[in-house]
Amino acid sequence: MASSSKLPGTGLEDVGVPGQTFLRDALTSCTDPLKAIEEFQLENGILLPSLRPMLPLLDLHGVRRLDFHTSVLEELRDKLISQINEMGPKPKKEQNESNLKERKENERKLKELLSKSFPVVKVKALRPVIMGILKNTPHIDDKYLKVLVRDRDLYNDTQTEVKRQIWQDNQSLFGDEVSPLLSQYIREKENVLFDHENLTNLFFSKSPKVRRQGGVVQKLAHMIGTSIKLYDMVLQFLRTLFLRTSNVHYCTLRAELLMALHDSEVQEIISVDPCHKFTWCLDACIRERNVDIKRSRELQGFLDNIKKGTEQVIGDLSMTLCDPYAVNFLSVSAIKILQHLINTEGLPRDNPILILLLRMLALGLSAWQIIDTQQFKEPKLDSQVVTKYLPALMSLMVDDQVRALHNKLPPDERESAITIIEHSGPPPDACEAYMRESSVCGVLAMYYTLHSAKLRDRGAILRILSILGSCKDGRAYEDSFLHTLVALLIQLPDEFQGEDFSTVLFDEFFFAGLAKDNVTRHLLKLLWYIHPKLPETRIQTLMKALQPGTQHTESVHKLYESLQQQLQSQVEPVPSTSEMEYLDTPLMSVPTPAPYHIM
């Protein structure tokens, strides 16, 4: 027979079992095909004498021989896989010296079993057995791994425990598996930030423990297992993507992944990641919404004791602190401390916890520059931020408190109008000046804005918003901040009836950032809820300014069209009361960075 008609091998002949080739040869060389088939069935059926008389009974019941043999195969296969799993490696907690000999014997048996069974790996009905053996083999020979990599069908059926051994020496293949998960993670974060119908599942409302239970984080942790090499690869992917996109959600994932491995007690990794103890301590602070003296000393001690030759850890530390959840905690905690200092007539420079928070904030806000330049040096906090900017910000806060207190007094007890005008003027010049020069100052101003919005202090909101667009690098137009600000403003619909409120909010703040696609999306969400309170002329001005162009995404166009339909029908959406407790916490065109390892 011509070689072109050769049947693809299944491997059965390699283990001494007649297969397709044997049956084909038998049928093409025999004189009686039916007799040849009968002989093949007798020789290769279940060799159990007591079973043979029962087969005709199954025939009478319409049970095909194929169905019968398949059911027997499946039953035996499941029992065999169960026994193989019993022979596999036990959890570290169960390993001890007494069962060391048994473990070695089981490894020997599995290796021998793999050698005998691997030739039939392409037989789909038997493949689960071979995959079960591979899964329970701690160190698989390269000759088997190479076969799995070359055959896409086999690779897809391979379990994660086996793929880990393939990925160890195949970074591109591992990258292909990880990339969709990273994209999914970013989409999930952005869906929370941009969903115009979302008023309850707000970005900062979930605790750290809940966040890292998410599907992507758990899947990545499972893919890494206990492999330091795979963990190192994921960290390098995150650094590279953070550099290429400036997307801070990659920083969040870096911290969440480490803490997910911490929760699972993967000592092989967390014991060698130099960021572990720092991240663990920071995570506890965020979870408890507080940073006490003990934890502040731990955090400061870590930053102060980075040894010469290990400065690269500053890169990963800066990413951990660049995580929006960390920035939120540090900033809200700083505002709380400033409030306390006002009440106790204290000075910012005399509060060591405040200085530490600002130091960590400065490091986190410099993450991109540190990793981009590979200059692993902690940025020095400008002393004037503490000695000049913070007093100016505290002066603004005092003015707002005095005015708010004045407005609560009975009319006959209020001070003269002149005094109140002094507490309602523009913010101190130093505030805006330092916000332009320092990211730390800008972020603190942003969080004081949220603090004022939560207190529903109209005057305070107007004063700080009038200069908020001046923040360095346009930080006031970041998604996590705008998402939170819009959620708070939606709870103040009546304020939009005053033209002065709209002028400051829209003309002076939002319109200054409309060049950015994300700002349009957040403003459309705000307009979606508060448009019934706005004058018609203001609505027309906003809709004209918000009309998306070719540079905007499809989601922006859809939201704009939906809002237009809403305006035409004039159905007022009813905002639900959102959970804002988290605000009370006292708290691809750039070069790939040179890889560096956690070891």
Side-chain angles (χ1 to χ4, degrees):
M1 188 172 288
S3 59
S4 60
S5 62
K6 185 178 179 181
L7 292 171
T10 59
L12 289 172
E13 282 84 358
D14 295 338
V15 293
V17 177
Q20 290 172 290
T21 305
F22 178 89
L23 184 58
R24 181 198 60 185
D25 292 344
L27 290 174
T28 53
S29 61
C30 71
T31 55
D32 187 349
L34 291 176
K35 187 176 180 183
I37 290 172
E38 185 178 354
E39 288 176 357
F40 184 87
Q41 287 177 322
L42 286 173
E43 291 172 4
N44 296 286
I46 299 174
L47 300 178
L48 193 64
S50 60
L51 175 65
R52 211 158 273 174
M54 299 297 295
L55 295 178
L57 182 61
L58 294 174
D59 294 338
L60 290 174
H61 283 81
V63 178
R64 297 189 306 162
R65 298 289 172 88
L66 173 64
D67 295 336
F68 168 69
H69 282 91
T70 299
S71 67
V72 173
L73 168 67
E74 290 173 349
E75 184 70 24
L76 292 173
R77 182 183 67 197
D78 291 345
K79 288 184 179 299
L80 179 56
I81 290 173
S82 178
Q83 289 185 3
I84 290 169
N85 289 335
E86 285 294 317
M87 296 169 65
K90 299 292 184 290
K92 279 196 173 290
K93 292 178 181 178
E94 298 178 23
Q95 294 181 14
N96 52 56
E97 291 295 328
S98 62
N99 59 25
L100 178 61
K101 187 176 180 181
E102 181 187 352
R103 291 205 311 272
K104 287 187 176 180
E105 178 63 17
N106 285 341
E107 285 181 22
R108 185 194 65 76
K109 288 180 181 177
L110 286 171
K111 192 172 182 179
E112 185 180 343
L113 194 56
L114 180 61
S115 175
K116 291 179 178 179
S117 63
F118 195 80
V120 298
V121 70
K122 292 191 178 182
V123 179
K124 284 209 168 186
L126 300 176
R127 189 177 300 168
V129 176
I130 293 91
M131 291 303 175
I133 299 170
L134 289 168
K135 175 186 174 183
N136 288 284
T137 305
H139 304 288
I140 302 170
D141 288 347
D142 282 346
K143 62 180 180 181
Y144 301 124
L145 296 178
K146 287 176 181 176
V147 173
L148 298 176
V149 172
R150 283 197 301 265
D151 190 312
R152 176 54 64 174
D153 191 36
L154 289 179
Y155 178 78
N156 289 338
D157 283 349
T158 301
Q159 292 169 298
T160 303
E161 289 81 358
V162 181
K163 284 182 177 178
R164 286 186 198 129
Q165 299 191 46
I166 295 173
W167 295 331
Q168 295 268 6
D169 299 311
N170 199 325
Q171 182 169 339
S172 61
L173 196 58
F174 184 52
D176 291 342
E177 295 269 359
V178 168
S179 183
L181 289 173
L182 301 184
S183 299
Q184 180 186 340
Y185 183 85
I186 299 301
R187 280 196 309 272
E188 289 173 357
K189 292 291 183 187
E190 292 181 345
N191 285 343
V192 173
L193 288 167
F194 291 126
D195 183 7
H196 70 281
E197 295 181 343
N198 173 27
L199 288 178
T200 52
N201 179 30
L202 297 179
F203 187 73
F204 291 117
S205 59
K206 289 184 179 178
S207 71
K209 193 119 183 175
V210 170
R211 284 190 280 111
R212 57 180 177 262
Q213 296 303 315
V216 171
V217 177
Q218 291 299 314
K219 174 76 172 172
L220 281 173
H222 178 61
M223 289 170 71
I224 291 168
T226 61
S227 170
I228 296 171
K229 192 171 183 179
L230 294 182
Y231 178 65
D232 215 18
M233 283 187 203
V234 173
L235 295 191
Q236 189 55 34
F237 294 152
L238 295 178
R239 294 184 198 109
T240 303
L241 289 166
F242 176 50
L243 267 187
R244 288 182 178 176
T245 65
S246 299
N247 194 320
V248 292
H249 301 312
Y250 292 115
C251 299
T252 306
L253 184 53
R254 195 260 182 264
E256 288 181 351
L257 180 59
L258 174 55
M259 289 309 299
L261 295 169
H262 167 90
D263 292 343
S264 301
E265 299 182 7
V266 184
Q267 293 296 330
E268 293 88 342
I269 292 175
I270 63 176
S271 63
V272 296
D273 187 334
C275 291
H276 172 238
K277 289 184 178 178
F278 183 89
T279 307
W280 181 14
C281 186
L282 180 64
D283 180 83
C285 293
I286 295 173
R287 186 179 66 249
E288 295 171 9
R289 303 178 178 184
N290 181 47
V291 54
D292 55 27
I293 291 291
K294 181 185 176 184
R295 287 214 169 99
S296 70
R297 285 175 180 162
E298 288 181 31
L299 293 168
Q300 182 165 336
F302 194 95
L303 293 175
D304 290 342
N305 293 307
I306 294 174
K307 297 176 182 176
K308 192 173 183 179
T310 64
E311 294 91 349
Q312 286 183 332
V313 71
I314 291 176
D316 276 341
L317 282 181
S318 67
M319 279 189 72
T320 300
L321 292 167
C322 187
D323 166 18
Y325 295 92
V327 172
N328 175 72
F329 168 74
L330 297 172
S331 304
V332 176
S333 298
I335 295 297
K336 287 272 186 179
I337 292 175
L338 291 179
Q339 188 67 57
H340 172 73
L341 291 174
I342 289 171
N343 295 336
T344 59
E345 299 183 3
L347 293 174
R349 66 188 180 199
D350 295 333
N351 190 293
I353 294 181
L354 176 61
I355 303 301
L356 174 65
L357 294 175
L358 298 179
R359 180 183 173 187
M360 291 194 293
L361 195 55
L363 179 55
L365 298 178
S366 302
W368 193 91
Q369 289 86 351
I370 290 172
I371 298 174
D372 180 48
T373 61
Q374 298 284 287
Q375 297 295 316
F376 300 109
K377 187 176 180 181
E378 183 184 344
K380 189 175 181 181
L381 180 66
D382 185 351
S383 61
Q384 292 193 347
V385 170
V386 178
T387 59
K388 293 188 177 180
Y389 173 72
L390 291 184
L393 182 60
M394 290 168 70
S395 170
L396 177 69
M397 295 167 70
V398 169
D399 284 348
D400 291 336
Q401 288 179 30
V402 170
R403 188 188 57 258
L405 181 60
H406 173 271
N407 291 339
K408 291 179 181 178
L409 294 174
D412 57 340
E413 293 183 24
R414 293 184 184 180
E415 298 177 51
S416 66
I418 296 175
T419 305
I420 294 308
I421 289 172
E422 291 175 1
H423 295 295
S424 304
D429 293 339
C431 283
E432 186 171 6
Y434 282 100
M435 285 162 58
R436 290 180 184 277
E437 300 298 325
S438 165
S439 295
V440 172
C441 296
V443 169
L444 290 178
M446 289 156 53
Y447 275 83
Y448 179 61
T449 307
L450 298 181
H451 175 77
S452 301
K454 186 172 185 299
L455 295 177
R456 299 172 177 257
D457 189 335
R458 186 178 190 277
I461 296 170
L462 291 179
R463 294 181 81 201
I464 193 66
L465 274 178
S466 67
I467 61 171
L468 203 59
S470 303
C471 287
K472 185 181 179 182
D473 301 328
R475 285 198 179 272
Y477 299 105
E478 291 176 346
D479 289 325
S480 58
F481 171 71
L482 290 181
H483 164 85
T484 309
L485 178 63
V486 166
L488 286 164
L489 292 173
I490 288 171
Q491 307 302 318
L492 309 171
D494 292 337
E495 300 296 349
F496 290 89
Q497 292 176 325
E499 183 58 27
D500 58 338
F501 195 85
S502 293
T503 298
V504 172
L505 180 65
F506 298 126
D507 301 344
E508 297 183 22
F509 177 65
F510 272 112
F511 283 3
L514 276 185
K516 301 182 179 182
D517 179 75
N518 68 306
V519 178
T520 301
R521 297 182 72 171
H522 290 292
L523 187 47
L524 283 170
K525 177 179 178 178
L526 176 61
L527 194 53
W528 180 273
Y529 288 96
I530 55 92
H531 69 80
K533 302 294 183 179
L534 292 173
E536 185 63 29
T537 52
R538 172 58 71 177
I539 293 175
Q540 291 174 359
T541 302
L542 285 167
M543 292 302 287
K544 186 176 180 180
L546 290 170
Q547 187 165 9
T550 53
Q551 76 276 17
H552 291 96
T553 59
E554 183 184 355
S555 55
V556 174
H557 283 269
K558 286 184 176 179
L559 181 53
Y560 183 84
E561 291 166 8
S562 298
L563 181 56
Q564 274 188 319
Q565 295 172 5
Q566 180 113 320
L567 290 170
Q568 290 167 4
S569 62
Q570 282 299 314
V571 176
E572 181 174 349
V574 181
S576 59
T577 302
S578 51
E579 177 59 59
M580 309 303 286
E581 281 187 2
Y582 62 87
L583 287 172
D584 278 329
T585 55
L587 282 184
M588 300 253 184
S589 59
V590 299
T592 300
Y596 60 92
H597 304 282
I598 63 175
M599 295 283 295

